[in-house]
Amino acid sequence: MHPDPSFRPKDADLAALLVREIGFAAIFASTPDGPRVAHAPVVLGADARTLQFHLSRGNGLTKHLGGAQAIAVVQGPDAYVSASWYTAADQVPTWNYVAVEMEGRVRKLDREELVGQLDALSESHETRAGIDPPWTRAKMSAAIFGKMADAIIGFELAISAWRPTLKLSQNKPADERARVIEGLKAQGHGALAHLMEQLGGRG
């Protein structure tokens, strides 16, 4: 998390909304082999207190996660900010970005919980994709689904700390922020520019 408090969202629900909408995280943990990271789709619990994910049994992090303290990071849009977009003197280039860190203890899921996670994950994204009828595992052979499920392990991170950062030039005057927004739009970073317009002033 960025140390400047002006980059922390004031809306308590915004971090959870970003995690649900982006739906993909990097999972970091220490192992006897050194620090490791894995990348996985995630399911945030309804109460925003748990984050579920699954990894291949062959992933270098898998055998070390049960009982470990880990950090999950969900990243949104980001872009370079040119110092030439400012009018004030003695400015330097920087980077605007959106990131949400979640820390907590990880537990291994049992088979029923893993299947529930997979069902929730596909249901959520099939709905968003507008697929009609949506894909479900009922369309698969039960034996093949079982074999594929055997190749992965499910986990749940009990979130003890949220550390979101929305670095959207909130520490700059309104006229400078407007120039950054226009510069980002010209570079094709429309999503980040839109966030600055909608959220940057409020955090």
Side-chain angles (χ1 to χ4, degrees), residues 14-195:
L14 181 57
L17 178 63
L18 287 166
V19 172
R20 293 187 200 283
E21 290 198 353
I22 295 169
F24 196 79
I27 315 296
F28 298 85
S30 294
T31 79
D33 303 318
R36 293 290 183 270
V37 59
H39 308 273
V42 294
V43 177
L44 184 65
D47 59 2
R49 294 180 180 177
T50 60
L51 188 77
Q52 291 191 352
F53 57 95
H54 60 273
L55 301 175
S56 165
R57 285 184 179 273
N59 188 290
L61 194 55
T62 301
K63 63 183 178 180
H64 303 294
L65 269 180
Q69 192 78 3
I71 294 175
V73 180
V74 171
Q75 292 188 282
D78 67 274
Y80 174 80
V81 175
S82 172
S84 64
W85 294 340
Y86 303 128
T87 57
D90 300 321
Q91 300 295 302
V92 295
T94 188
W95 211 276
N96 277 3
Y97 64 93
V98 172
V100 180
E101 299 176 23
M102 295 153 284
E103 182 175 350
R105 188 72 58 185
V106 178
R107 72 176 181 91
K108 183 178 174 181
L109 300 181
D110 63 28
R111 178 58 171 253
E112 183 178 353
E113 291 173 312
L114 169 62
V115 172
Q117 178 200 145
L118 298 174
D119 287 346
L121 186 65
S122 61
E123 180 182 6
S124 171
H125 291 280
E126 289 287 315
T127 298
R128 290 170 63 180
I131 306 300
D132 186 22
W135 181 92
T136 70
R137 60 187 168 90
K139 296 185 176 183
M140 292 185 67
S141 155
I144 293 176
F145 175 82
K147 184 177 181 180
M148 296 180 76
D150 286 342
I152 60 176
I153 297 179
F155 297 96
E156 180 178 270
L157 184 149
I159 303 172
S160 57
W162 285 84
R163 292 191 288 267
T165 298
L166 271 69
K167 187 174 178 291
L168 302 173
S169 302
Q170 298 98 314
N171 58 340
K172 299 295 183 183
D175 60 331
E176 301 280 42
R177 290 187 70 255
R179 278 188 285 277
V180 172
I181 289 170
E182 292 309 309
L184 291 174
K185 286 180 178 178
Q187 296 292 317
H189 295 291
L192 193 64
H194 180 71
L195 282 173

